[in-house]
Amino acid sequence: MDIIQAIVSGVLLGGLYALIGLGMSLIFGIMKLTNLAHGDLMICGTYICMVLAANFTGNIFLALLITIGVMVLLGFIIQNGLVNRVIDKGSGPSLLVTFGISIIIQNLLLQVFGADAQAVPNTFSSSNVISTQYLTISSIYLLNFIVAVGVIVFLSIIMKKTYFGMAIRASSDDATAAELMGVNTKRMYALTFALAMATAAVAGLLVGMTFVFYPSTGTNYLIIAFGVVVIGGLGSLMGTLVGGIILGLAQLLGGYFFGTGWQLVVAYIVLLVILALRPQGLLSKAVRK
């Protein structure tokens, strides 16, 4: 029964991983931009939510709503004020901008909060939905998975069924044609970044409720996000969920068969194998160049 426990926990952990990678997948899918500040922006949202809940709102869900608003505004400003100015000059300048933002956020968080470990207090992390001799399902892991699926389905509906979503996809497919049809592509890019930051705020709260975090842990989650979107397919929302589950399963099963020290090693061996066999990802169509 231990292997069943590892499989169930891996699937649920994969839901959180999918949510962590969702914003990066969205930005890359629309703008072909690899956001190196993604993990640090997510952790910044975690700190904002923690401070609001502890000192102002007293309610974690109200704090999350405010944090989403702050992160949406921050994302819009970053894209509209910084990235849009260099996005036409190739991928190099955009990467440098996001890298600079990452360094700034890490150092600001370190100066304000120090290097001590933090956690978002909650009741979910200390309770189980199922607790038997053979199987245990943590409430926080189940919550992570449910929220991840809900957010991904909600975003898929927005992208496919609304004018806003169609305008974003048009800007991604052919920016020139979209502009000729009256779409402000730079504005769409800024709104896409803002939407990605909304998902990062949700992911950041769940990460803070599940694990301890530091000002520098954004880099760890950036690597996880890379793994998720590469496995699932860059730009594929449903592929992000598949990629997260595969990465979570590989990590937990690797720990089951080889020991906890091998968890991430096995996970990224699986990533390399998938990358070698299907470079475009599992749910992304190959692009002819």
Side-chain angles (χ1 to χ4, degrees), residues 100 220 274:
N220 299 335
I274 293 176

Side-chain angles (χ1 to χ4, degrees), residues 47 109-110 113-117 213-215:
Y47 276 102
L109 293 177
L110 186 62
F113 297 101
D116 295 336
F213 56 93
Y214 310 83

Side-chain angles (χ1 to χ4, degrees), residues 87-243:
I87 199 168
D88 296 328
K89 296 177 172 40
S91 59
S94 300
L95 282 175
L96 288 175
V97 168
T98 59
F99 179 70
I101 293 169
S102 170
I103 298 299
I104 290 170
I105 291 174
Q106 278 195 33
N107 283 277
L108 282 176
L109 293 177
L110 186 62
Q111 290 296 321
V112 174
F113 297 101
D116 295 336
Q118 304 280 354
V120 177
N122 65 95
T123 57
F124 293 98
S125 60
S126 58
S127 62
N128 296 320
V129 176
I130 296 176
S131 183
T132 68
Q133 180 181 356
Y134 304 106
L135 181 65
T136 299
I137 297 180
S138 169
S139 298
I140 188 64
Y141 272 49
L142 183 61
L143 176 66
N144 293 342
F145 188 84
I146 292 172
V147 172
V149 172
V151 171
I152 289 172
V153 170
F154 180 68
L155 273 184
S156 298
I157 293 173
I158 288 178
M159 299 302 290
K160 293 178 180 179
K161 302 295 184 180
T162 67
Y163 173 81
F164 170 65
M166 288 186 285
I168 288 178
R169 288 190 289 117
S171 301
S172 172
D173 293 339
D174 192 328
T176 302
E179 288 175 354
L180 290 174
M181 297 302 295
V183 176
N184 186 333
T185 55
K186 294 290 181 69
R187 180 60 58 87
M188 289 299 108
Y189 291 160
L191 292 174
T192 299
F193 205 108
L195 187 60
M197 289 303 98
T199 67
V202 178
L205 173 60
L206 294 178
V207 165
M209 293 170 64
T210 309
F211 308 111
V212 297
F213 56 93
Y214 310 83
S216 60
T217 50
T219 303
N220 299 335
Y221 292 111
L222 173 66
I223 295 172
I224 289 172
F226 268 126
V228 168
V229 297
V230 168
I231 291 174
L234 292 165
S236 172
L237 296 181
M238 296 309 297
T240 303
L241 180 60
V242 173

Side-chain angles (χ1 to χ4, degrees), residues 6-19 144-145 148-149 152 224 227-229 231-232 237-253 267 270 274 282-283:
I7 291 172
V8 171
S9 298
V11 170
L12 297 181
L13 179 62
L16 179 59
Y17 283 176
L19 193 56
N144 293 342
F145 188 84
V149 172
I152 289 172
I224 289 172
V228 168
V229 297
I231 291 174
L237 296 181
M238 296 309 297
T240 303
L241 180 60
V242 173
I245 291 175
I246 290 175
L247 195 64
L249 279 172
Q251 181 177 333
L252 270 293
L253 289 175
V270 170
I274 293 176
L282 296 178
L283 295 186

Side-chain angles (χ1 to χ4, degrees), residues 257-280:
F257 287 110
F258 305 107
T260 56
W262 286 85
Q263 285 186 343
L264 290 178
V265 175
V266 173
Y268 285 99
I269 287 175
V270 170
L271 167 62
L272 291 175
V273 170
I274 293 176
L275 191 59
L277 296 177
R278 190 171 171 83
Q280 72 271 28

